[in-house]
Amino acid sequence: MAGCGPCGLAAALLLHRDGHRVTLFERFETPRPIGSGLMIQPTGRAVLRQLGLEEALVESGARIDRLFGRNDRDRTVLDVRYGKLDAGAFGVGIHRASLFDLLHTAVAAAGIAIEGGRTIAGHEHGSLAFADGKRAGPFDLIVDALGSRSTLAPPTGRDLAYGALWASLDWTDGFDGHALEQRYRAANRMVGVLPIGRGQAAFFWSLRADQVDAWRTAGLDVWKEEVRALWPATAPLLDQIPDPDQLTFARYAHRTLRRPAEPGLIHLGDAWHSTSPQLGQGVNMALLDAWALAFALREREALGDALALALSLRRDHVALYQLMSRLFTPVYQSDGAMLPLLRDVIVAPLTKVWPAPRVMAAMVAGIVGSPMRRLGLA
């Protein structure tokens, strides 16, 4: 198992519980998470439920009942409510470190081997090659969970123009404790606040990748003034940021491997498919991939047949959400003026008309295309 992110850890647990001998390889000496907050959707919750971790997930994070956004003219342009699906539908905002701890603790308790300080450079004949020239293997199966810049996958796709500055801050009053809230100016400025449990909030600011240096040069005061002008309520959060190094810039890529598997190797999660975070599906899609692999290995005796089944169970859902990401990302992160105008004046009012509220909720929940039914998940 290459990579100790949520996908690698979950896949390792699932395969170990099915009786496979699993070894995790991680580039850090001590595995650790990278990033701030994320949302676990009903799809991801279903996989964590199978691992016996859903209750701990909810306790560690914050229940999210809706996504809500206004533009700089105080017009509501986004209002998605999980309750339009059913009373039991909700997301969970959680710090990446909290999710990592849940999975890593379970992996350690299961006695799954983890080898840290192993920077993977490539693979050959079922073995892993490391940057220091050493090798490990051969293995019956290599699972690539190294993310969108995996060294086990050929380069493909493209980096997106926009990324985001992220920080984890102490929660303050003035925000909905059960909502992802955002404010927009056109599509080139966006600020968001996500409750992530344990008295914390994930704070993010949309920014073009080629403007990061200019942002640093201008200084925090200039930036804070711009954020406060767009959303005055963020002032107490901004006061917690005296140093620009508190903010981490996250880059995003849109990529899909044409061949997500080959003999003895399968790519899962962002190593196979990655998008912008606008639909909040990254980790959730990866968890579904991990479940699909475990499910397929139970259903098929021959490894090649199992890998083919795992991909067939996920390919349509992946393609559907890749398409939706391509369509929706420019609406919220782009330099054009026409798309945000259409979003605010035409699309936003239409989303309040039946059946749009339920369709939008299903889209955000990750259940469009019925992925859980195909995977035997409740």
Side-chain angles (χ1 to χ4, degrees), residues 42-355:
T43 49
R45 282 175 49 210
V47 176
L48 293 172
R49 186 180 311 131
Q50 294 292 328
L51 290 169
L53 299 175
E54 184 186 22
E55 184 176 343
L57 168 80
V58 175
E59 290 177 354
S60 299
R63 173 173 172 142
I64 304 299
D65 292 320
R66 69 171 183 159
L67 283 64
F68 182 73
R70 294 181 181 272
N71 65 14
D72 55 351
R73 293 181 297 281
D74 205 31
R75 174 180 291 175
T76 299
V77 298
L78 178 70
D79 192 0
V80 178
R81 299 171 185 261
Y82 290 96
K84 296 296 181 180
L85 297 173
D86 62 66
F90 62 90
V92 177
I94 190 168
H95 197 293
R96 284 183 182 272
S98 298
L99 178 61
F100 174 84
D101 286 343
L102 292 178
L103 290 163
H104 187 263
T105 298
V107 163
I112 298 172
I114 301 179
E115 295 194 17
R118 297 282 224 162
T119 301
I120 297 172
H123 71 98
E124 187 177 12
H125 305 306
S127 296
L128 289 173
F130 303 106
D132 60 5
K134 296 180 180 178
R135 306 178 73 86
F139 303 99
D140 294 318
L141 175 63
I142 295 172
V143 179
D144 176 13
L146 290 173
S148 61
R149 290 169 175 78
S150 171
T151 51
L152 293 176
T156 187
R158 61 184 178 86
D159 289 338
L160 298 178
Y162 275 83
L165 293 165
W166 283 89
S168 297
L169 306 171
D170 293 332
W171 182 261
T172 63
D173 293 334
F175 306 97
D176 187 335
H178 296 289
L180 166 59
E181 293 189 80
Q182 299 174 332
R183 296 294 184 272
Y184 319 100
R185 190 179 73 220
N188 62 359
R189 290 292 184 268
M190 175 174 65
V191 58
V193 176
L194 171 69
I196 54 176
R198 297 180 177 176
Q200 287 193 305
F203 174 88
F204 58 92
W205 173 259
S206 183
L207 187 68
R208 282 185 61 99
D210 59 7
Q211 294 176 350
V212 175
D213 290 341
W215 169 80
R216 284 189 170 274
T217 300
L220 279 179
D221 290 340
V222 172
W223 171 69
K224 288 182 179 182
E225 183 177 350
E226 183 178 9
V227 179
R228 282 192 297 264
L230 181 56
W231 195 0
T234 59
L237 294 173
L238 295 171
D239 289 342
Q240 299 179 43
I241 308 175
D243 187 337
D245 289 337
Q246 286 178 255
L247 293 154
T248 300
F249 184 71
R251 298 175 183 272
Y252 306 115
H254 193 112
R255 61 191 298 280
T256 310
L257 290 182
R258 290 188 176 183
R259 293 182 58 200
E262 56 190 79
L265 171 68
I266 188 168
H267 307 276
L268 302 182
D270 283 354
W272 171 10
H273 49 80
S274 65
T275 64
S276 82
Q278 293 302 324
L279 293 177
Q281 299 301 319
V283 169
N284 300 281
M285 299 286 273
L287 290 172
L288 289 177
D289 290 351
W291 175 261
L293 175 61
F295 180 88
L297 286 169
R298 296 183 205 124
E299 295 293 314
R300 298 289 187 271
E301 183 174 350
L303 179 59
D305 293 342
L307 298 187
L309 175 60
L311 297 183
S312 70
L313 290 170
R314 294 291 299 128
R315 200 183 297 273
D316 290 348
H317 187 238
V318 167
L320 179 60
Y321 272 83
Q322 293 281 78
L323 174 61
M324 288 193 290
S325 179
R326 288 180 184 273
L327 294 175
F328 279 93
T329 295
V331 174
Y332 293 97
Q333 283 189 313
S334 66
D335 295 320
M338 186 57 66
L339 279 178
L341 180 63
L342 292 173
R343 174 197 70 195
D344 297 355
V345 176
I346 298 176
V347 178
L350 290 176
T351 60
K352 300 176 184 178
V353 180
W354 184 91

